[in-house]
Amino acid sequence: MMGRLVEVDDIHVRYGDLVALRGVSLAVEEGEVVCIIGPNGAGKSTTLAAIAGGVTPEAGAIRIDGRSILGQRPEQIARLGLSLVPEGRHIFGTLTVDENLRIGGYIQRDRTAAKADLERLLELFPRLAERLHYPAGRLSGGEQQMLAVARAVMTRPRLLLVDEPSLGLAPKIIDQIYEILLDLRQRAKLTLLINEQSSNRILKHADRIYVLRGGSMQLEGRAADLQDGEAIRHAYFGFG
Ligand code: ATP
């Protein structure tokens, strides 16, 4: 059944004197692929961090399944079915693919469940299955991004928050990463909230787009209605 999974309502976040978010609102329905686009420093990572409980807004509300999560610790929020793929992947280069994935399964109750999750995951990521005993640092950039996504999926989340998965990857590889993310939506029933700096390759993959600039939402729309890129450019650069 479709329902509102995430609701961010007019949140304000500051780091000391610096105001990072000045009244940001967004909503993600179950099963959607939603992308937040914005330039460097717009507040995209801060928005994901607020949802995941890494930073606490000084005003506003965040609800998961209609219930406020404000003030809850990240591990409590994770238990509601959220998982974050941080910018820069944060994989352990000297550990093998297998070891990196097992680290992701750490909140699993028991070993049997973790093993079953790993097996299921390797079906979704055949490239990683082939490289299970390689040191992760020897994988290509695209494979490392896949590993970061796979690790986040180990805990069977309902919502995956992905911070700039395209960063530093070639266009062809970016498309492959998105194919995997969309496949996960189908097969693992995932809802996706993704940050990107550029709308170039995202418009064809996302259902809805938000444009964030200077800590404020500038635009919201269905990707299908924004295909020519004009409205996004205006919102992104702030002219017009
Ligand atoms: P990027 O693409 O660079 O990750 P972003 O859109 O994700 O950009 P944020 O990382 O959310 O933006 O940063 C928003 C603002 O908050 C920026 O001005 C940034 O310098 C500042 N900021 C982010 N994290 C911190 C922090 N821990 N302490 C102080 N300022 C921070």
Side-chain angles (χ1 to χ4, degrees):
M1 210 174 69
M2 298 286 274
R4 186 156 286 185
L5 186 50
V6 184
E7 208 174 351
V8 174
D9 186 5
D10 197 23
I11 59 168
H12 295 250
V13 173
R14 62 163 77 229
Y15 299 105
D17 288 340
L18 188 138
V19 179
L21 300 183
R22 43 190 94 232
V24 164
S25 298
L26 66 90
V28 184
E29 305 285 324
E30 224 164 296
E32 271 193 314
V33 176
V34 174
C35 191
I36 303 174
I37 298 165
N40 229 307
K44 303 182 298 296
S45 301
T46 301
T47 303
L48 292 195
I51 296 170
V55 296
T56 306
E58 57 182 359
I62 303 179
R63 287 180 284 272
I64 305 286
D65 297 323
R67 291 204 198 105
S68 172
I69 55 156
L70 225 53
Q72 288 194 25
R73 293 192 308 278
E75 54 278 21
Q76 291 176 297
I77 298 172
R79 272 189 225 115
L80 300 174
L82 269 70
S83 192
L84 174 72
V85 184
E87 185 181 317
R89 293 149 208 167
H90 296 273
I91 58 158
F92 298 94
T94 56
L95 301 187
T96 64
V97 169
D98 181 52
E99 287 161 344
N100 271 279
L101 289 172
R102 284 169 197 279
I103 289 172
Y106 68 98
I107 67 161
Q108 269 300 352
R109 289 86 48 214
D110 60 67
R111 207 183 283 184
T112 325
K115 191 162 174 278
D117 275 0
L118 182 62
E119 280 166 13
R120 170 184 141 275
L121 201 70
L122 293 177
E123 283 174 23
L124 295 170
F125 294 89
R127 283 270 281 280
L128 295 181
E130 288 164 18
R131 292 161 177 74
L132 205 53
H133 303 294
Y134 275 40
R138 277 177 43 200
L139 301 179
S140 70
E143 288 163 351
Q144 290 186 10
Q145 184 63 61
M146 271 177 220
L147 176 58
V149 171
R151 184 178 55 189
V153 174
M154 271 296 272
T155 55
R156 291 182 179 254
R158 297 155 62 206
L159 173 68
L160 201 58
L161 306 169
V162 195
D163 203 0
E164 300 197 30
S166 301
L167 208 66
L169 300 180
K172 214 176 93 192
I173 310 295
I174 296 171
D175 283 340
Q176 283 174 14
I177 296 290
Y178 272 90
E179 271 165 36
I180 286 172
L181 290 172
L182 295 175
D183 187 47
L184 283 173
R185 160 164 73 167
Q186 292 299 333
R187 298 216 271 164
K189 304 250 180 305
L190 265 181
T191 302
L192 294 159
L193 179 58
I194 303 168
N195 283 348
E196 286 289 4
Q197 272 194 35
S198 151
S199 65
N200 284 350
R201 314 201 68 74
I202 307 320
L203 269 172
K204 65 178 175 201
H205 300 297
D207 297 316
R208 277 192 309 115
I209 305 280
Y210 288 91
V211 179
L212 186 63
R213 177 170 48 85
S216 304
M217 263 331 163
Q218 309 291 327
L219 176 73
E220 187 226 324
R222 302 203 62 78
D225 299 330
L226 299 169
Q227 289 297 325
D228 70 2
E230 196 55 26
I232 292 180
R233 269 191 297 281
H234 277 238
Y236 195 103
F237 295 109
F239 52 66

